[in-house]
Amino acid sequence: MKPISLTFTGINSYEEEFFIDFETLADGGIFGIFGPTGSGKSTILDAITLALYGEIPRYTKTSHSTFINSAGTTAHVVFRFQIQRDALRQYEVRRSYKRDAKGKGARITNCQLSEVGGEILADRKEAQVTAAVIGLIGLNYHDFTRSVFLPQGKFNEFIFLKGDERSKMLERLFDLEELGKVLINKVRNAERTTEAKLETCAMQMAFYGDITKDLLEEKTKSCVALSGEIERLSLSRELFFDQREIYKNLEAAYTQLQVSQNKLSQLLVLQNDIDTDKTTLEAARRADKLHLPIEALKSLRKQYLQSKEQYGLAELLAQQTAQKTAQYDTEYQVARKAMDEEYPLLLKQEQALNGNLTVLDGIATIEKELAHLRLDWKQQNGKLEQMCRESDEGAKKDGEIDAALEKVVRTENELIVLPGVFKSLHAAATAEEELARKTKEYTIAEKKKLTLETRNETLSELYATSKHNLAAELAKDLKYGCECPVCGSKDHPNPAAQQTIYAQEAHSTDDFETLKTEYTQNQVLISNLSESLHQLTTDKNNLNTTLGAFRADLSLQTTFAAALQAAYDKNAEKSTLEKQELQLREDKEGVAAAKKALDSQISALEAQLGATLAAGEEKAAVIATNRAALGEYDNFDKISRALEDIKKRITAITTTVRVLEDAKNKCQVQAQEAATALASAQERLRYLAESLKQQGALIEQELAASGFDTFEAAEGALLSRQQTTDLDNKIQHFYQTKNELERTIEQLAHHLRDEEDLEQIPAKSAQALADYTATDVALTANQKAQAVLEDEIKKMTENLAALALLHKEQKALQTRHGAIREIADLFRANAFIKFLASRHLHYITTEATARLKRMTGGQYAIEYDEDTNFLIRDDFGGGAYRPPASLSGGEAFMASLCLALALATKIQMKSRADLSFFFLDEGFGSLDTQTLDIVVDCLEQLREENMVVGLITHVEELKNRITHKIELESRR
């Protein structure tokens, strides 16, 4: 992520809108934001996190009201940034807040995340906008403030922490503790799952009982024995089956012979009937030759009678149609004459009534226009009354504004604080603060002096005691007659004895010079403190004098700081009232302009009302004139009824003429058709009489040739086609059946020629069937037993295989269960979390060492011991290790900076976007000039790594070294 621009207003001390062009500012790779304490440097970082996440590092969510400027009620921030992923895109996030009615909190009023020049990604809902920002950047609020913003007071915290504290810090930063809980839960779940599977496996193994391979082999042998018996029975059944089939065929042949002989005897009884049928069939075939001529003669007779009847009907129809045609022609002429006389009059009446309809339509249109004019007049009149009321309300509001404006101006005059008073109050408040500080310093110095004096008294006694104890040590080795190593005397009347006062401290302090040095140093300090106390007393007296003079001039009963704050409050209130005054004057001008516009609209509307009234009167006169011209038919109902009567009469006249004309024409056609039909019927009757005479003579000749005496005898011998077929089939079937039975009897007699006693054949067949059935029953029983045994063997084989798999699964689950228990042991006491923390620490130290070596020309490296305490390895000093506290200020800064950047980089690795951008909000004021040069050199080296670094500080030396910068002024 790279910031492009930031715009905000109403946040902390920023009352007016503030804009930063980061694209230009960060062009050099490093830039600075400089200003004195209270100038609003850190507020710039607050505005960025507020825009992205809706949170500020220095405030909690419950105290949002603290970031809204006290002079306003709203806060706004717009932050634009770009991200390089699949392509370089710019995004803009904006949020607006408003102080609530009670002034104790703030609520968000607007928020939005959008792609610049593209679509809106999230809108209005704060949670959705924050979630979309996290999705783009890849870091949540806590990770962002840990890795992109390196806040003041936290910069060098990491390097000086103890091992356990640093591990806990890493666990918090990388959420390792939560990860550990998740992993432990997974291991426990896996352990419970494996134990449940082991129980299930044991239950499944118990289900198979005590099956063994020996039992399987025993059943297999039994199955083989059954197979031999089944084979023997199968051969016996086949032999019995063949014998049964032989006797079965013989029995069937014997039975069929008896049946055939009986059928032949019954068939011969019908021989006489068959001979009679043959005679009848022959006569029918002779008569059949005369069938067609006889049928033709009958058909001619029938046709002749029908034609004679049709001729009479045609003659009657011709007479009737001629009479009807003459009648319709007379009626048609009468109707045609009536239509020619009445139709033109009806058309003229219809035309006149349609003209009246047109006039009525025009009247209706004018009446609608008149109704619209009346409605317009009513609306315009109502609008005129509303405008008059608004004009009166504007005059009333103008008076109210004048009263409020007078009150605001009067209150402003009461709040005026003169510049001289402000200057005196500020100077007095400064002196008051200085007096409090001097008083505090005096108290501290006095306590310190008292402590040193007490300590020196103790040292004096300790020195005397230690000196005496030293003499006692010498006296221990003195013997009578020996020389004293101090004075040389051989007489020792009063040797020194060991004293016990301060014995412990004296014993630990063997060096008299050390005691003396400490005593002397304390004396110098006491002297310096005395001078300081004297000077502080003088300064306090001077300040009290100054404050007395100010108090006399200002006549105050409170502290100067409280008076100064009250003056500030008055000025703030006065500024608010000035804004109110300006707003009231603008409101007054707006009311005057609105009233002027209303008065102009009222004049125009009054003129419009007059024009509308005149147009209405004109249209009413036109309506009255047109209605007078309508006469009797002056409404739509009368005209519609009259038009309907005329149309009905016209329809009736034309319909009557058309119907009579159609009927006349139809009768003429029918008369012509009847005459034609009469002539045709007369000709057909003559033709049929001639044909009937010729056919009768021909039939008489054919009867004599066929052996029939009369026409009726031939007809009596005729049979239908079905009767002829049935009779012929009956005769043929008789002789065919007779021949087949005789042939069958001959064949069966030949087949049974070898059997001496044909009557014993059924008994032999029954015995063969009994032998076959008994053998089949035994075979079926053995086959069923074999199938049951084979099924048992198959199931037992499958169960043994399944049991083997269960044994294998049980062994695998026991192995897995043991491994999970070992893993669970590894997770106890947060061992795994500590391991992960150490891996993170290893990465951070490796990354930090790479940076530190580049910064120091390869001299220093960062490592850690077995307790994870940091050590600095000096490769220019033979690889010696030293604690971080032994580094100089510049060296410690470089090491801390490298560790902070490595830590931030590790956190940023979770991000899907490029975040080579850092803010350092660090107090550089404690660094000397040489160290500051080293710091700037180190930061400028980051530019070679394509990193952009922003510094927030008030140090002038850094400001002179950095080209791209923003300089802020104090906002107090």
Side-chain angles (χ1 to χ4, degrees), residues 215-227:
L215 183 60
L216 177 62
E217 291 176 359
E218 182 180 346
K219 287 185 178 292
T220 304
K221 290 178 181 179
S222 300
C223 188
V224 171
L226 275 175
S227 297

Side-chain angles (χ1 to χ4, degrees), residues 265-524:
S265 300
Q266 294 172 2
L267 189 64
L268 292 175
V269 175
L270 302 174
Q271 183 67 51
N272 294 330
D273 294 336
I274 293 301
D275 292 338
T276 303
D277 290 339
K278 286 172 69 177
T279 303
T280 303
L281 181 61
E282 184 181 354
R285 285 174 176 169
R286 284 188 285 108
D288 187 59
K289 294 178 181 179
L290 299 173
H291 178 65
L292 291 177
I294 291 172
E295 289 298 323
L297 181 62
K298 288 181 179 180
S299 177
L300 283 173
R301 287 176 179 174
K302 185 177 180 181
Q303 290 178 18
Y304 177 77
L305 294 174
Q306 289 176 350
S307 295
K308 192 173 182 179
E309 183 180 357
Q310 288 175 358
Y311 174 77
L313 292 173
E315 187 177 17
L316 178 62
L317 181 62
Q319 293 173 0
Q320 290 175 351
T321 53
Q323 293 174 0
K324 200 171 183 179
T325 300
Q327 179 184 352
Y328 278 129
D329 184 61
T330 302
E331 292 177 358
Y332 170 74
Q333 295 300 329
V334 172
R336 181 70 187 178
K337 181 179 179 182
M339 186 182 77
D340 292 342
E341 293 174 355
E342 190 175 357
Y343 188 73
L345 296 175
L346 290 173
L347 289 178
K348 187 175 181 181
Q349 293 176 9
E350 183 181 21
Q351 185 177 6
L353 290 172
N354 285 328
N356 281 9
L357 282 177
T358 303
V359 173
L360 283 176
D361 287 338
I363 291 173
T365 301
I366 296 172
E367 285 179 342
K368 287 181 181 179
E369 294 175 355
L370 183 60
H372 283 304
L373 286 172
R374 288 171 180 165
L375 181 62
D376 289 345
W377 183 85
K378 185 177 181 181
Q379 291 176 347
Q380 291 166 359
N381 194 44
K383 190 174 181 181
L384 178 63
E385 292 176 357
Q386 177 65 25
M387 287 182 178
C388 292
R389 286 195 298 271
E390 290 178 1
S391 178
D392 294 340
E393 290 175 359
K396 181 180 179 182
K397 188 173 181 180
D398 185 64
E400 293 173 353
I401 292 173
D402 285 338
L405 189 61
E406 182 182 356
K407 182 179 179 181
V408 167
V409 172
R410 185 171 61 252
T411 307
E412 283 179 2
N413 294 332
E414 294 172 356
L415 293 173
I416 292 175
V417 179
L418 296 176
V421 174
F422 254 120
K423 184 175 181 181
S424 298
L425 284 172
H426 191 278
T430 304
E432 197 172 44
E433 290 179 2
E434 184 69 13
L435 176 61
R437 187 178 66 80
K438 295 284 186 182
T439 303
K440 186 175 180 181
E441 289 179 4
Y442 181 87
T443 303
I444 294 171
E446 193 173 34
K447 288 181 179 179
K448 190 172 183 179
K449 178 184 176 185
L450 181 60
T451 301
L452 289 172
E453 288 175 346
T454 303
R455 174 62 178 167
N456 267 11
E457 290 177 2
T458 303
L459 289 173
S460 179
E461 294 178 6
L462 182 61
Y463 177 77
T465 303
S466 299
K467 184 177 179 181
H468 185 82
N469 286 341
L470 180 60
E473 289 293 325
L474 293 173
K476 284 195 303 183
D477 297 328
L478 290 179
K479 295 181 179 179
Y480 185 78
C482 294
E483 292 183 356
C484 175
V486 178
C487 64
S489 174
K490 295 182 179 180
D491 187 17
H492 313 292
N494 189 19
Q498 189 78 26
Q499 293 187 10
T500 58
I501 300 175
Y502 307 118
Q504 184 177 358
E505 190 170 357
H507 179 71
S508 63
T509 310
D510 299 330
D511 192 354
F512 295 133
E513 291 301 323
T514 300
L515 293 172
K516 185 177 180 181
T517 300
E518 183 181 355
Y519 180 83
T520 303
Q521 290 176 348
N522 286 349
Q523 285 296 109
V524 172

Side-chain angles (χ1 to χ4, degrees), residues 324-340 653-668:
K324 200 171 183 179
T325 300
Q327 179 184 352
Y328 278 129
D329 184 61
T330 302
E331 292 177 358
Y332 170 74
Q333 295 300 329
V334 172
R336 181 70 187 178
K337 181 179 179 182
M339 186 182 77
D340 292 342
I653 292 172
T654 54
T655 301
T656 301
V657 172
R658 185 173 66 253
V659 169
L660 289 173
E661 185 178 11
D662 291 344
K664 183 191 73 167
N665 294 335
K666 187 175 180 181
C667 282
Q668 289 175 352

Side-chain angles (χ1 to χ4, degrees), residues 718-770:
L718 280 172
L719 294 175
S720 68
R721 185 178 298 275
Q722 184 63 41
Q723 289 173 331
T724 302
T725 301
D726 292 343
L727 196 58
D728 186 47
N729 290 339
K730 179 181 178 182
I731 294 168
Q732 289 182 8
H733 177 70
F734 174 81
Y735 285 106
Q736 182 180 358
T737 303
K738 179 183 175 186
N739 294 334
E740 288 178 356
L741 286 171
E742 290 174 346
R743 188 166 53 252
T744 300
I745 290 169
E746 183 180 358
Q747 291 174 351
L748 290 172
H750 179 74
H751 182 65
L752 296 170
R753 69 183 182 278
D754 296 332
E755 292 294 324
E756 297 178 356
D757 189 359
L758 295 179
E759 294 180 355
Q760 293 297 320
I761 290 175
K764 292 179 180 179
S765 177
Q767 183 60 43
L769 177 61

Side-chain angles (χ1 to χ4, degrees), residues 488-674:
S489 174
K490 295 182 179 180
D491 187 17
H492 313 292
N494 189 19
Q498 189 78 26
Q499 293 187 10
T500 58
I501 300 175
Y502 307 118
Q504 184 177 358
E505 190 170 357
H507 179 71
S508 63
T509 310
D510 299 330
D511 192 354
F512 295 133
E513 291 301 323
T514 300
L515 293 172
K516 185 177 180 181
T517 300
E518 183 181 355
Y519 180 83
T520 303
Q521 290 176 348
N522 286 349
Q523 285 296 109
V524 172
L525 289 174
I526 290 170
S527 176
N528 291 337
L529 286 172
S530 297
E531 293 178 1
S532 297
L533 288 171
H534 178 71
Q535 183 62 43
L536 286 171
T537 302
T538 303
D539 292 343
K540 284 169 59 180
N541 293 334
N542 292 337
L543 286 170
N544 277 321
T545 303
T546 302
L547 287 173
F550 277 124
R551 196 173 299 280
D553 290 340
L554 297 173
S555 302
L556 290 179
Q557 300 298 323
T558 61
T559 63
F560 291 105
L564 181 60
Q565 185 61 45
Y568 278 128
D569 292 342
K570 282 186 176 183
N571 264 9
E573 187 179 355
K574 183 173 178 293
S575 176
T576 302
L577 289 172
E578 288 173 349
K579 292 180 181 179
Q580 291 181 5
E581 179 185 358
L582 180 62
Q583 184 62 48
L584 287 171
R585 294 191 185 281
E586 291 177 356
D587 292 346
K588 181 176 175 63
E589 292 175 359
V591 168
K595 189 173 184 305
K596 183 177 179 181
L598 277 174
D599 292 341
S600 176
Q601 292 176 10
I602 288 170
S603 300
L605 199 55
E606 287 175 344
Q608 192 175 353
L609 278 171
T612 302
L613 187 61
E617 292 174 351
E618 181 181 351
K619 290 185 182 296
V622 171
I623 291 171
T625 302
N626 288 340
R627 285 198 178 278
L630 289 174
E632 177 185 358
Y633 297 100
D634 58 351
N635 61 61
F636 284 103
D637 290 339
K638 289 182 180 179
I639 296 173
S640 297
R641 285 195 295 272
L643 283 172
E644 186 175 356
D645 293 341
I646 291 171
K647 287 179 180 178
K648 286 180 180 179
R649 181 57 184 159
I650 291 173
T651 302
I653 292 172
T654 54
T655 301
T656 301
V657 172
R658 185 173 66 253
V659 169
L660 289 173
E661 185 178 11
D662 291 344
K664 183 191 73 167
N665 294 335
K666 187 175 180 181
C667 282
Q668 289 175 352
V669 172
Q670 289 175 351
Q672 184 66 33
E673 290 175 351

